[in-house]
Amino acid sequence: MNPNSLVTVPVITLVGPPNSGKTTLFNAISGQNYKTVNYPGATVEYSISTVLKNYNINAKIIDSPGIISLIPNSQDERVAVDSLFDVPNYGPPDLVITTVDASQLSRHLFLVKQLIESNFRVILALTMTDILHKKGLDISTTILSKNLGCDVVVVDARKKKNIDELIRAIEKNLEHTSAHGKNVPVPYNRISNKQDLLDSYHSIEEIESSVLYLKSDNNQVNLQAANSQLNILTNNQIKANCYQIDETTVKVDKILLHKIWGLLSFFLIMSITFTSIFWFAQPLMNFVDDLFGLLSAEAFNLFGTGWFGDLVANGIINGTGSVLVFVPQIIILFLILGVLEDTGYLARGAMLIDKPLSKIGLNGKSFVPMLSGFACAIPAMLAARTIPNKKERLLTIFILPLLSCSARLPVYALLIAFLIPQDRSWIGGIVLSVIYITSIGSSIVIAAIINKFSKSIIRTEDSSSFILELPAYRKPKLSVVISNTFNSAMLYIKKAGPTILAFSLLLWFLTYFPDTNPKVETEDLTDSEIVQLQNAERLSNSYASELGKIIQPIMSPLGLDWRVGVSLIAAFAAREVFVSSLALIFKVTGDDDTIQQSILKSMRTSVIGKTDQKLFTTATISGLIVFFIFALQCLSTVAVSKKETGSWRIPLLQVFLFTGIAYILAFITVNGMRALGIN
Amino acid sequence: MRNASELNFGEKVTIQDIDSSHPSCLRILEIGFTPGQQIELINKSFFNDPLTFSVRGTLIAIRKDEAACIKIS
């Protein structure tokens, strides 16, 4: 017995196979919303919380990764299973709640049996009994409880039904552990070969046939035994009902997994996803942009044009604006991903794309990480943990930074707006599509190349596999999707926000100080022209310009100067900082225009040094776009890549390879265009 | 003996054995493809790989190469 058991809080771990309703149950009793697991990948990390306050249970509750057995098949599964036996910082759990889909009884009891045999104290939470009823079957929880030797509770977390009964079972079990000490689990080793496994399944099938009965007659559980002939007949009927698959799902799959229509719908769904990220988000982004432009102008009115006014208007307000401006895009992407996941389509997408991806050394299971990569490489790298094969997982992580994350969108939006006349904004959509296609294409090419040299680069090789359950289609539960989206967006703001804001402030400091109180000729000039001139003068004497002069030689071949160089360095904090950094460096003051329009205005007029050569031309802007497609300029991504791959080798390789390619291709673009007479 | 990768649509067959030499053998068994179970080919992805089978009342997608180690009668 744990000597501290009187003072430590009891720990309850939720365990269950993918698609068993585990995370939905976690949401229901923890009161903390979290991603629903109907695709392996949603619960890659432990999520810990206290039990919902109004239930009056003082315990920690942990959501664990979805597993189908206690016998690990990969390194990551081993970690998942080990931490089940010994929860990091908490030790063995006091209680395990395991979710079982009642319509998938035999497959899901496989894990429950192992848990009980490992001496865990188990409560079985039976989910999706409505589906079982639709199959014309019902289940006896008393017999199931007796056969397994653990409490069995029917729950429907999606409707928050029967949760009270589960809570009572938790209370009862926790009281028992506090009185008699908690069970000490022993590592599972009952199954060491194929025969053990078959025996285990066999005994589960016996339990299954003893607890399921036809819904039509209610008393038959005992009657069955009276007539063995009838018994066999009903047993066959029960088995047939139980193992019948959802007809609607099969019908929909005939289209969505069809060789032609399936492929077409796949591309259609993906194109809708990406176009909506851009189109639906645009008005919202403009709104945020306008709002902060206004606020910034207001700040100048309020605090004057001294250093403090400048700090508030440029440093703080525009800095915050640059964080919030891309939130609409993130929300829309997460919303679509959530809906696709909740309907069951994501697993189909993974299946459709498995063959082509396996040709370049990836896996169908790379699909979800890659899709998330279009939002942000960081959650995408975490999602890659569901890929069982190590080589495929490392390769997926390797190429993720090439996929155009949403942080690049504000940059592209600005650069494209510079290239495209305002009355023809539709061309912008096409340019953006080309950027995305280039990003996908380059990730494929690089994956294929790295795969060829995988022995020396990835340095691991094991047998590739793709086994994935395709859950039955169902109507997405919008409230769940929306609250998950909201949580993801908040998480993103909390994670990226402070970094971006801090860099914004640092950059403001570097571009404003040492404030030499610039003297400029003020004759014949309007007030705003004087401010502009002072700003330019102050900047050219600033710390940033000192810093910039060091990197000038690197920027010159790209037709750019130190000011862009400083912004590119700042973009290593987060790519979208590039935009706010340009705004700061070109001293964009919030007039009546939006931030973007003012940046564009001053970009069009800036020249290199004291020459009259324009800094931003079609060629240099195109070069910048190319640079952003390839370059790995995100410190957080590098840090996560190091953590996920276990060493500095892969992240450093990513930084130098991708940024090197970016520089070379940008150089070729700029000088190639100039050679062709496009300036 | 035939294997599951050679199944035609609409054929309902019973699993005889799983090839123990295949690295995914245990995983295939764990997910529910055990001898005696009835399976049916439900879908093929383009390129005819992976394949979807119905087993124990659910749909499981596995690669053709993995389906080949499911021996059927």
Side-chain angles (χ1 to χ4, degrees), chain A residues 390-439:
Chain A
K390 195 175 180 198
K391 188 203 97 185
E392 291 167 344
R393 192 181 73 241
L394 293 181
L395 191 57
T396 306
I397 290 176
F398 197 91
I399 58 146
L400 281 176
L402 286 171
L403 297 168
S404 196
C405 68
S406 60
R408 277 177 256 204
L409 268 170
V411 178
Y412 292 144
L414 177 75
L415 297 180
I416 291 173
F418 184 92
L419 290 180
I420 308 296
Q422 232 173 9
D423 54 332
R424 270 181 253 163
S425 59
W426 57 273
I427 303 177
I430 297 175
V431 175
L432 196 75
S433 313
V434 173
I435 290 175
Y436 270 97
I437 292 167
T438 315
S439 133

Side-chain angles (χ1 to χ4, degrees), chain B residues 21-52:
Chain B
S21 62
H22 195 281
S24 301
C25 170
L26 281 183
R27 191 38 44 120
I28 290 169
L29 285 164
E30 278 178 345
I31 205 149
F33 291 97
T34 52
Q37 287 299 317
Q38 201 176 56
I39 58 166
E40 186 184 341
L41 175 69
I42 303 292
N43 266 301
K44 290 180 177 183
S45 183
F46 57 94
F47 304 114
N48 293 328
D49 192 10
L51 311 169
T52 317

Side-chain angles (χ1 to χ4, degrees), chain B residues 57-69:
Chain B
T58 192
L59 296 172
I60 309 276
I62 56 173
R63 283 196 184 148
K64 211 173 171 175
D65 136 72
E66 286 163 325
C69 74

Side-chain angles (χ1 to χ4, degrees), chain A residues 253-544:
Chain A
D253 270 347
K254 285 275 173 255
I255 300 163
L256 288 185
L257 292 179
H258 186 269
K259 271 178 207 154
I260 296 156
W261 303 122
L263 203 56
L264 278 177
S265 5
F266 180 78
F267 283 115
L268 196 69
I269 289 168
M270 291 304 110
S271 337
I272 292 173
T273 306
F274 291 121
T275 41
S276 36
I277 294 170
F278 193 62
W279 296 112
F280 293 151
Q282 204 53 52
L284 291 167
M285 291 178 73
N286 288 345
F287 171 76
V288 177
D289 209 17
D290 290 348
L291 184 73
F292 279 88
L294 261 165
L295 281 177
S296 162
E298 204 50 47
F300 271 122
N301 289 341
L302 219 66
F303 302 111
T305 49
W307 73 267
F308 186 70
D310 207 274
L311 168 70
V312 175
N314 282 327
I316 297 173
I317 294 180
N318 284 350
T320 316
S322 64
V323 178
L324 296 181
V325 78
F326 57 89
V327 168
Q329 285 167 338
I330 291 167
I331 288 179
I332 289 171
L333 186 88
F334 281 133
L335 212 56
I336 296 172
L337 268 181
V339 168
L340 288 180
E341 188 179 21
D342 216 38
T343 51
Y345 186 75
L346 278 191
R348 269 85 184 174
M351 174 187 166
L352 281 173
I353 208 164
D354 176 63
K355 186 76 183 178
L357 286 183
S358 69
K359 292 273 179 222
I360 52 168
L362 299 171
N363 189 296
K365 289 180 181 172
S366 310
F367 172 64
V368 172
M370 286 170 78
L371 208 54
S372 319
F374 287 100
C376 175
I378 294 160
M381 282 181 180
L382 298 179
R385 288 181 187 173
T386 49
I387 305 168
N389 178 303
K390 195 175 180 198
K391 188 203 97 185
E392 291 167 344
R393 192 181 73 241
L394 293 181
L395 191 57
T396 306
I397 290 176
F398 197 91
I399 58 146
L400 281 176
L402 286 171
L403 297 168
S404 196
C405 68
S406 60
R408 277 177 256 204
L409 268 170
V411 178
Y412 292 144
L414 177 75
L415 297 180
I416 291 173
F418 184 92
L419 290 180
I420 308 296
Q422 232 173 9
D423 54 332
R424 270 181 253 163
S425 59
W426 57 273
I427 303 177
I430 297 175
V431 175
L432 196 75
S433 313
V434 173
I435 290 175
Y436 270 97
I437 292 167
T438 315
S439 133
I440 297 166
S442 63
S443 67
I444 291 171
V445 171
I446 289 179
I449 295 170
I450 299 290
N451 186 38
K452 281 259 174 280
F453 299 101
S454 69
K455 279 217 174 67
S456 54
I457 296 174
I458 304 285
R459 288 185 191 164
T460 174
E461 197 75 53
D462 49 300
S463 71
S464 176
S465 155
F466 182 84
I467 304 175
L468 186 65
E469 183 182 355
L470 306 183
Y473 287 110
R474 62 177 184 193
K475 220 171 70 194
K477 190 119 166 95
L478 273 182
S479 61
V480 176
V481 173
I482 288 170
S483 72
N484 283 340
T485 304
F486 175 76
N487 286 335
S488 311
M490 284 310 287
L491 206 75
Y492 199 93
I493 294 170
K494 278 186 209 153
K495 193 188 69 203
T499 328
I500 298 172
L501 195 62
F503 260 78
S504 252
L505 288 174
L506 178 70
L507 214 73
W508 175 82
F509 178 84
L510 289 177
T511 52
Y512 199 90
F513 290 101
D515 187 2
T516 46
N517 204 3
K519 298 255 183 312
V520 287
E521 289 291 326
T522 52
E523 257 172 72
D524 305 325
L525 289 176
T526 66
D527 278 356
S528 79
E529 278 172 323
I530 295 171
V531 171
Q532 290 282 332
L533 222 64
Q534 280 179 334
N535 284 343
E537 200 57 34
R538 188 186 293 121
L539 180 69
S540 58
N541 293 318
S542 71
Y543 295 125

Side-chain angles (χ1 to χ4, degrees), chain A residues 527-596:
Chain A
D527 278 356
S528 79
E529 278 172 323
I530 295 171
V531 171
Q532 290 282 332
L533 222 64
Q534 280 179 334
N535 284 343
E537 200 57 34
R538 188 186 293 121
L539 180 69
S540 58
N541 293 318
S542 71
Y543 295 125
S545 89
E546 294 293 318
L547 211 75
K549 271 158 205 148
I550 306 170
I551 51 171
Q552 177 76 43
I554 308 171
M555 299 315 295
S556 298
L558 301 184
L560 299 166
D561 72 355
W562 65 269
R563 286 173 294 182
V564 184
V566 167
S567 302
L568 282 179
I569 290 176
F572 270 92
R575 288 181 179 93
E576 56 273 10
V577 169
F578 183 74
V579 176
S580 55
S581 155
L582 279 186
L584 271 168
I585 289 176
F586 290 94
K587 285 299 166 192
V588 175
T589 45
D591 299 330
D592 298 332
D593 296 332
T594 64
I595 301 175
Q596 191 184 63

